[in-house]
Amino acid sequence: MAAEPKNVLFLMTDQHRADTLGAYGNSHASTPVLDELARTGTRFDRWYTPTAICTPSRASLLTGQAPFRHQVLANHERNVGYQEDLADGTFTYVEALREHGYNTGLVGKWHAGTVKNAAYFGFDGPDLPGWHNPVDNEDYLAYLKAGGLPPYEISDRVRGTLPNGGPGNLLAARLHQPVEATFEHYLATRTIELLERYADDYRSGARPFFLELSFFGPHLPYIVPDEYFDMFDPADVELPASIAETFEGKPPVQANYSAHWTFDTMPIEVTRKLIAVYWGYVTLIDQQIGRVMDALERLGLVDDTAVFFTCDHGEFTGAHRLHDKGPAMYEDIYRTPGLLRVPGGPAGQVRTEFVSLLDCTATILELAGIDPAPAVDSRSLLPLARGEEVEWQEDIVCEFHGHHFPYPQRMLREDRYKLVVNPDSVNELYDLQTDPHELTNVYDRPATADVQRRMMGRLYRLLRDRGDNFYHWMTTMYDVGEVDHDPTQSGLDETTYRPV
C-alpha cells in the first residue's frame, strides 16, 4: 500500500441530491468526473448530513461536533435568535492543521458563521460570504474584467405564487454568460491558482496542504447558461414517486412548507423542467471539478493527495411537493453523496455503513497525523476507505432546529425503519423496505408498535449518552423504557427512580 497521503483536496457542493450522479444510479446524468472518482475510490451509499441546513452542517464539518453541541443552529439569513458563530476557543480542524504546518485554503462558499469568516480560522482564499453565488463580489468582478467577460444577466425566471399572492422564490433562470464567466468557472480557476501555489510549497518539502473547493450550487435558484439550462429534455425526467404526497397523518408544517415553496401553483411540467435544469447545474459543476482534477494530475499530486467529494445536505426538487429543504426529515435532504479516494485504497468500493459529514473531520485529522479526539462526534472513515472490516454503529442520529422559525426534530435511521420525533406534532415512522419514498406514516399502526417502542428507547439512550437535552421531552412524553433518574432534574427525588 502507498504511503499515507498528507495532502487533502476537499470538493464540496451545496444542496446536492445523491441521485443526480451517475455513480448513484442516474442513467441520464452527465457526471463523468465524479463518477470516475467513485470508480477509483470509495462510494458511501449511506452518507448522511447531521442536519439539513447549510450553516449548522458546515459548522459541524469544521468542528467535528453535532449541531446541538457547537450551537450554531441556523443560517444568518433566516435566523430567529440562534447563535450565529462558533464560541471562542471551539476546536476546528483548520486551526489544528495550521498548527501542524499545513497550508489551508478554501475557495468558495463559507457560510459556517457570520462575523467569523473563513480567514478568521486560517483559510487562504477570497472572502465570499452569503448563501448563493455573490455575483457582485469584487474579486469575481475583477476576474470578469481581466478576461473581458460579460456581467451577470438572467432571463426566463421560474417561480410560483406565494400564499399571500406575491411572487414566489426564484427557483431557476437562464444565465446570459459563457461558461468561462460563470461563478463556478471562476471558483475552479481560483482553486487551481491556489493549488499551484501549494504544490510548489509541497514539492520543496515545506508544507503539505488542505484545499477546499466549495461551490454555492447546485443550491436553488438553478441559474445556468443555455447549454446547461437546456441540456436535459424534461420529457426524460422521471418525477419523484413522492410527488404523490398528500401529507395525511404527517406534521402540518410540511404542507405549509409546500405552500411556501409554491409547488401547487405551478404546472407539473415546470417541475420536470426544474429537475432537468438542476441536472444541468450538476453537470456544470462536474466539469469545473474536472478542471481541478486535471490540475492535480498535471502537478503530479494524485498519488499524494486524498480527495473527498460531498455536500452539506440534499434538496427536494419537487419530492414530497417541496423545494429547498426544511422541517421534514426525508431521505431526499438527509442522505447525500459521499466519495473518498485515498491513494493505495481499493478502487470501486461501495460501503453501506451509516456515515456522516461529521466523520470527515476525524478523517482529515487522521490523514494529517493529528489526534482526532477533539472532534468528539466524528469517527475516521479511513478504515472503511481502505477496505477494512470494522465494527460500526448500525444506525445514525440526525437533528434539526429550524430554518424560518424554531422547529426541533430528532431522527433515528436504521436499516429498515426511520423514526422522527416532532415535539409539537405527530411523530413519524417509515418502513423504508415497503415504503422507500416515505409516503405513509406508520407511527400509530398497531403492527409497528414494537418497532416504535424499540426505536424510541434507542434514540432516547443515544441522545442522553451524547448530552443532547432533547431527550428530556422524550422522558415524559413517550415510552422510552426504564427511567433511572428524576425527569424533573430537581435532585429532590432520585430515590423513586433508582433501580431496585
Side-chain angles (χ1 to χ4, degrees):
M1 181 174 288
E4 189 168 283
K6 280 188 170 290
N7 301 317
V8 176
L9 176 63
F10 200 95
L11 305 167
M12 192 169 188
T13 53
D14 193 291
Q15 205 155 297
H16 196 156
R17 291 181 67 98
D19 61 10
T20 59
L21 304 182
Y24 281 90
N26 188 326
S27 61
H28 298 290
S30 179
T31 53
V33 177
L34 291 174
D35 294 348
E36 176 66 9
L37 183 59
R39 190 191 69 79
T40 56
T42 297
R43 171 169 66 85
F44 292 88
D45 201 47
R46 288 172 164 175
W47 181 295
Y48 284 73
T49 181
T51 186
I53 185 168
C54 306
T55 298
S57 63
R58 290 168 181 269
S60 285
L61 170 63
L62 191 63
T63 62
Q65 295 182 13
F68 83 89
R69 198 182 308 279
H70 63 60
Q71 298 184 349
V72 178
L73 302 179
N75 292 352
H76 164 72
E77 295 82 6
R78 299 287 185 273
N79 192 11
V80 289
Y82 287 129
Q83 177 178 311
E84 289 192 2
D85 287 285
L86 294 172
D88 291 346
T90 302
F91 171 86
T92 68
Y93 74 78
V94 61
E95 291 169 299
L97 290 175
R98 290 189 74 84
E99 289 171 3
H100 284 76
Y102 269 69
N103 277 316
T104 53
L106 188 155
V107 178
K109 185 168 185 175
W110 163 244
H111 214 210
T114 304
V115 175
K116 297 177 180 179
N117 63 6
Y120 175 92
F121 292 98
F123 282 114
D124 302 322
D127 183 23
L128 299 169
W131 66 274
H132 210 287
N133 289 336
V135 294
D136 57 352
N137 177 268
E138 289 184 5
D139 190 59
Y140 172 62
L141 295 177
Y143 165 83
L144 294 180
K145 184 176 181 181
L149 297 167
Y152 173 84
E153 181 184 353
I154 63 173
S155 67
D156 296 12
R157 296 163 177 83
V158 179
R159 54 169 33 109
T161 303
L162 293 171
N164 63 12
N169 294 281
L170 181 64
L171 300 176
R174 191 181 296 273
L175 178 63
H176 297 284
Q177 287 178 301
V179 172
E180 294 76 17
T182 63
F183 210 84
E184 290 71 26
H185 194 281
Y186 155 75
L187 291 177
T189 298
R190 289 289 187 257
T191 300
I192 292 167
E193 292 168 353
L194 197 51
L195 181 62
E196 290 171 341
R197 191 180 105 197
Y198 287 174
D200 288 340
D201 273 359
Y202 178 68
R203 284 195 294 258
S204 70
R207 309 182 79 178
F209 66 82
F210 172 93
L211 178 56
E212 178 177 339
L213 166 55
S214 183
F215 292 96
F216 288 78
H219 194 299
L220 57 76
Y222 321 135
I223 299 175
V224 291
D226 288 346
E227 65 183 277
Y228 303 97
F229 196 86
D230 299 319
M231 178 172 283
F232 296 96
D233 186 347
D236 293 333
V237 172
E238 183 178 349
L239 292 172
S242 63
I243 212 157
E245 180 66 79
T246 66
F247 303 114
E248 181 182 353
K250 298 187 177 186
V253 70
Q254 295 184 20
N256 290 340
Y257 250 68
S258 179
H260 169 79
W261 285 106
T262 70
F263 181 87
D264 290 337
T265 71
M266 298 177 288
I268 200 65
E269 291 79 10
V270 172
T271 295
R272 290 187 190 275
K273 180 61 179 178
L274 284 169
I275 295 172
V277 177
Y278 184 63
W279 290 356
Y281 200 171
V282 172
T283 298
L284 171 61
I285 290 171
D286 186 81
Q287 291 173 351
Q288 301 313 307
I289 289 174
R291 295 176 57 218
V292 176
M293 297 297 281
D294 288 346
L296 192 73
E297 185 170 2
R298 170 173 55 82
L299 295 166
L301 295 169
V302 172
D303 292 338
D304 302 314
T305 305
V307 181
F308 292 76
F309 171 75
T310 189
C311 65
D312 53 0
H313 55 78
E315 151 76 87
F316 280 117
T317 54
H320 295 278
R321 291 166 50 201
L322 295 164
H323 291 288
D324 201 55
K325 66 275 184 184
M329 304 187 83
Y330 293 120
E331 296 289 281
D332 306 271
I333 60 172
Y334 277 85
R335 175 180 172 262
T336 70
L339 307 174
L340 173 57
R341 186 177 72 195
V342 178
Q349 180 185 210
V350 178
R351 303 296 306 221
T352 58
E353 291 87 352
F354 285 106
V355 301
S356 172
L357 175 67
L358 269 166
D359 296 326
C360 292
T361 319
T363 311
I364 292 165
L365 294 170
E366 186 175 347
L367 283 165
I370 301 172
D371 181 4
V376 294
D377 298 309
S378 180
R379 182 178 180 183
S380 175
L381 299 171
L382 286 187
L384 303 181
R386 291 177 179 142
E388 299 172 15
E389 293 301 320
V390 293
E391 289 189 11
W392 206 267
Q393 186 170 310
E394 295 183 352
D395 50 24
I396 194 165
V397 173
C398 302
E399 59 189 272
F400 188 68
H401 299 266
H403 185 25
H404 296 83
F405 42 81
Y407 196 87
Q409 297 174 291
R410 296 297 184 274
M411 177 184 99
L412 179 67
R413 167 73 158 92
E414 58 181 34
D415 182 54
R416 179 170 176 175
Y417 294 97
K418 174 190 287 186
L419 172 69
V420 182
V421 178
N422 303 299
D424 82 310
S425 185
V426 297
N427 294 327
E428 299 163 83
L429 181 66
Y430 298 104
D431 182 342
L432 297 171
Q433 179 175 300
T434 62
D435 178 29
H437 305 291
E438 302 172 278
L439 286 167
T440 305
N441 181 9
V442 297
Y443 182 81
D444 287 326
R445 301 278 178 91
T448 58
D450 290 344
V451 173
Q452 177 219 106
R453 191 177 303 109
R454 173 180 58 78
M455 292 188 72
M456 190 67 77
R458 169 70 173 164
L459 178 60
Y460 170 82
R461 291 187 297 274
L462 288 171
L463 295 181
R464 185 180 173 192
D465 289 349
R466 73 199 304 204
D468 182 348
N469 286 337
F470 188 94
Y471 82 87
H472 292 311
W473 178 256
M474 297 172 65
T475 304
T476 58
M477 297 302 294
Y478 314 120
D479 182 357
V480 296
E482 190 79 18
V483 175
D484 61 358
H485 67 285
D486 178 0
T488 68
Q489 294 191 311
S490 66
L492 301 175
D493 189 27
E494 293 300 324
T495 55
T496 297
Y497 299 92
R498 190 170 298 148
V500 177

